[in-house]
């Protein structure tokens, strides 16, 4: 049985080979990547213990990212569900409309400290690329985004935004011409250019150091939330449920990190994956659908795969959750039974979006709508003194076209 240690951030609970729980994570990288990865590990461990760097980070979080984001009670939704009180942490208030800006900002700060002039990243749906291009522009770094040729065709608005921010989009024509190939190509580029270039990975995935940097960045969300819970309630509520959607798992880790040491009975952590269309076998839910251990993007995690170990095609109405793997830290939390993972189907997420926007002045994107779907399912069965908090981690402006099309049909 895997045990979580108290008082040590989860990002540091890996062994000397980079594995959480002895088997999740690690560094499945080509020999040539070892040196730049090691250099980054050394630099990051220095910076995270440097007071001046922390102050600088906090200054940008506050003045540029827009931290702290709001913590609000959804009174109408709570009254409608007639059970637990439902609250939201409105992380979509952050610059760019989602939590990815925390990670992009920290990576740019690290790149500057390392004296790098260039930053590269990969992107699937384009949001990680868009956020990185925003941050790169802010910090005066030249930015290249690797993106599958097929994704470039599908995600024109995000590509336009990246170009507007001055980033160069590098189309990747190998393999399936999607995210998987973009990641490989980006890493290859980094190996040959690491003297001048820093690499950013957009979620708590990839080789060990990238999981750590991303988790360290998004954990700001849970520090904000802890203070906000203290000031919003006379005393710490006895039963809290923190519900978050899970794609790669960076927003969920950021939302939970300060609360992992609490007892499950006191603060339950619930992760909601993309169940895909109701009538289809395709999904992007490795944790809740019992996917097997596999290796993807330089790390071991539960991965949607076939019997041969080939990565499965995934499907979800929300581009942000459409990813076959998941953070090694979430695999660890699942096996340690600290967090519970479930899924919501496309239809459930769309229904949840509809209900939340009918009742509240809040516009959650399709990713957090998955989390709201779970809140809507469980709230009526719970008592009024239970506090459900949903991380509304993205704004639905980006989903305008899909919503217009799909909401007509439900
Ligand atoms: C990218 C994205 C996700 C999925 O990524 P995580 O690393 O799981 O957070 C979820 N929500 C939004 C709004 C996103 O942009």
């Amino acid at each position: 049985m895997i045990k979580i240690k108290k008082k040590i951030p989860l990002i540091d609970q890996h062994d000397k080979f980079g594995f959480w729980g002895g088997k999740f994570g690690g560094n499945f990288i080509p020999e040539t990547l070892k040196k730049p990865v090691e250099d980054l590990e050394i630099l990051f461990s220095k910076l995270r213990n440097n007071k001046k760097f922390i102050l600088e980070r906090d200054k940008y979080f506050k003045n540029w990212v827009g931290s702290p984001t709001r913590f609000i009670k959804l009174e109408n939704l709570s009254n409608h569900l007639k059970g637990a009180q439902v609250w939201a942490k409105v992380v979509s208030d952050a610059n760019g409309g989602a939590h990815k800006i925390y990670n992009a900002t920290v990576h740019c700060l690290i790149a500057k400290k390392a004296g790098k002039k260039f930053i590269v990243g990969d992107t699937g749906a384009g949001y990680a690329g868009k956020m990185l291009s925003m941050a790169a522009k802010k910090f005066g770094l030249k930015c290249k985004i690797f993106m599958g040729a097929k994704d470039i065709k599908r995600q024109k608005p995000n590509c336009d935004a990246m170009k507007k921010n001055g980033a160069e989009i590098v189309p990747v024509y190998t393999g399936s011409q999607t995210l998987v190939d973009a990641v490989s190509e980006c890493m290859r580029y980094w190996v040959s250019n690491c003297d001048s270039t820093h690499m950013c990975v957009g979620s708590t995935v990839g080789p060990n150091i990238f999981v750590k940097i991303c988790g360290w960045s998004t954990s700001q969300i849970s520090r904000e939330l802890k203070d906000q819970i203290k000031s919003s309630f006379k005393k710490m509520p006895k039963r809290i449920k923190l519900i978050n959607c899970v794609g790669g798992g960076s927003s969920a880790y950021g939302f939970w990190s300060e609360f992992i040491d609490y007892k499950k009975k006191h603060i339950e952590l619930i992760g909601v994956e993309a169940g895909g269309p109701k009538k289809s076998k395709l999904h992007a839910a490795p944790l809740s659908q019992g996917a097997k251990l596999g290796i993807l993007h330089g790390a071991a995690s539960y991965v949607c795969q076939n019997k041969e170990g080939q990565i499965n095609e995934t499907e979800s109405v929300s581009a942000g959750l459409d990813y076959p793997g998941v953070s090694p830290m979430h695999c660890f939390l699942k096996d340690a039974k600290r967090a519970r993972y479930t899924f919501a189907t496309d239809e459930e997420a769309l229904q949840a979006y509809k209900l939340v926007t009918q009742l509240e002045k809040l516009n959650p994107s399709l990713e957090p709508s998955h989390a709201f779907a779970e809140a809507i399912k469980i709230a009526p069965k719970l008592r009024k003194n239970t506090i459900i908090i949903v991380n509304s981690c993205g704004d639905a402006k980006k989903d305008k076209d899909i919503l217009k099309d799909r909401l007509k049909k439900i």
Side-chain angles (χ1 to χ4, degrees):
M1 174 73 188
I2 294 179
K3 271 238 161 86
I4 299 173
K5 295 193 190 97
K6 297 234 168 178
K7 298 201 170 125
I8 300 174
L10 193 65
I11 57 168
D12 297 319
Q13 294 196 32
H14 54 79
D15 62 23
K16 65 178 179 187
F17 305 109
F19 290 95
W20 281 266
K23 59 177 176 178
F24 305 116
N27 289 291
F28 294 83
I29 50 175
E31 190 65 34
T32 44
L33 259 183
K34 274 206 165 141
K35 178 75 170 66
V37 161
E38 268 169 29
D39 290 347
L40 183 57
E41 283 168 355
I42 293 166
L43 177 64
F44 178 61
S45 75
K46 270 192 202 146
L47 289 175
R48 66 186 285 204
N49 290 308
N50 180 313
K51 282 209 184 91
K52 246 175 82 189
F53 183 74
I54 304 286
L55 283 174
E56 200 179 347
R57 175 199 70 175
D58 290 347
K59 184 183 84 185
Y60 284 109
F61 277 174
K62 181 160 174 262
N63 299 334
W64 191 63
V65 171
S67 162
T69 59
R70 284 174 299 155
F71 175 54
I72 58 171
K73 182 168 183 194
L74 303 180
E75 215 154 74
N76 295 344
L77 183 64
S78 303
N79 291 340
H80 175 85
L81 296 171
K82 296 188 176 65
Q85 295 177 44
V86 184
W87 290 64
K89 172 87 176 128
V90 194
V91 173
S92 59
D93 282 348
N95 201 356
H99 62 283
K100 284 192 178 73
I101 198 68
Y102 286 94
N103 181 49
T105 300
V106 167
H107 271 285
C108 286
L109 285 171
I110 293 173
K112 297 287 277 188
K113 294 290 168 211
K116 309 273 163 94
K117 300 225 164 20
F118 300 87
I119 193 159
V120 291
D122 48 71
T123 195
Y127 302 110
K130 188 172 148 186
M131 292 291 192
L132 185 60
S133 69
M134 253 177 80
K137 184 178 174 189
K138 166 79 184 165
F139 292 96
L141 292 160
K142 276 244 173 252
C143 179
K144 265 190 214 290
I145 302 292
F146 288 79
M147 193 169 182
K150 198 165 147 192
D151 288 333
I152 293 178
K153 271 195 211 132
R154 294 192 283 200
Q155 309 289 345
K156 194 167 176 310
N158 284 335
C159 292
D160 292 346
M162 285 182 248
K163 284 184 207 148
K164 219 176 118 202
N165 290 332
E168 179 195 344
I169 300 172
V170 183
V172 176
Y173 296 102
T174 47
S176 59
Q177 310 195 2
T178 61
L179 177 65
V180 192
D181 316 289
V183 174
S184 314
E185 208 47 48
C186 183
M187 287 191 177
R188 216 167 290 148
Y189 179 87
W190 189 43
V191 174
S192 322
N193 296 276
C194 55
D195 289 341
S196 62
T197 304
H198 176 76
M199 185 173 85
C200 170
V201 175
S203 184
T204 38
V205 297
N208 176 280
I209 185 61
F210 294 100
V211 176
K212 294 182 67 151
I213 293 176
C214 184
W216 188 78
S217 310
T218 55
S219 65
Q220 175 71 10
I221 297 165
S222 108
R223 284 192 293 276
E224 293 172 16
L225 178 62
K226 203 170 187 185
D227 288 344
Q228 288 167 322
I229 290 176
K230 273 188 202 147
S231 55
S232 303
F233 300 97
K234 277 196 207 100
K235 50 180 210 242
M236 187 73 167
K238 279 219 178 71
R239 298 245 185 285
I240 298 180
K241 295 183 188 292
L242 300 179
I243 309 185
N244 208 118
C245 61
V246 177
S250 66
S251 81
Y253 176 74
F255 193 49
W256 294 348
S257 58
E258 286 287 320
F259 304 100
I260 292 170
D261 280 356
Y262 286 79
K263 288 217 162 65
K264 186 159 62 178
K265 256 185 16 206
H266 183 186
I267 301 185
E268 193 188 5
L269 312 176
I270 305 170
V272 188
E273 297 184 305
K278 196 168 71 185
K279 290 211 175 91
S280 158
K281 282 211 173 100
L282 298 179
H283 58 77
L287 294 169
S288 56
Q289 298 273 7
K292 283 205 293 211
L293 194 67
I295 293 173
L296 182 66
H297 300 156
S301 78
Y302 292 121
V303 180
C304 300
Q305 58 192 295
N306 70 14
K307 289 207 168 86
E308 283 180 329
Q310 295 287 342
I311 307 303
N312 275 352
E313 193 189 334
T314 55
E315 190 176 340
S316 168
V317 68
S318 72
L321 302 183
D322 203 351
Y323 182 68
V326 66
S327 176
M329 296 194 294
H330 286 292
C331 301
F332 180 70
L333 287 173
K334 177 189 153 121
D335 278 19
K337 298 196 164 60
R338 176 63 189 92
R340 170 169 80 80
Y341 295 90
T342 180
F343 64 88
T345 62
D346 287 359
E347 292 78 6
E348 288 168 334
L350 287 159
Q351 291 285 3
Y353 173 82
K354 205 166 155 185
L355 186 65
V356 171
T357 49
Q358 272 167 359
L359 295 172
E360 300 288 347
K361 193 176 171 295
L362 188 70
N363 195 26
S365 69
L366 283 163
E367 295 85 7
S369 292
H370 285 71
F372 277 111
E374 178 65 13
I376 290 164
K377 263 182 228 168
I378 65 173
K381 296 178 238 162
L382 298 166
R383 293 206 212 148
K384 279 217 161 42
N385 58 1
T386 298
I387 311 296
I388 289 178
I389 308 173
V390 178
N391 182 359
S392 195
C393 60
D395 188 279
K397 250 186 262 149
K398 71 177 181 63
D399 296 330
K400 204 171 71 221
D401 295 341
I402 303 176
L403 284 165
K404 203 170 141 203
D405 177 49
R406 294 291 301 267
L407 285 177
K408 280 186 296 207
K409 296 171 198 156
I410 63 165

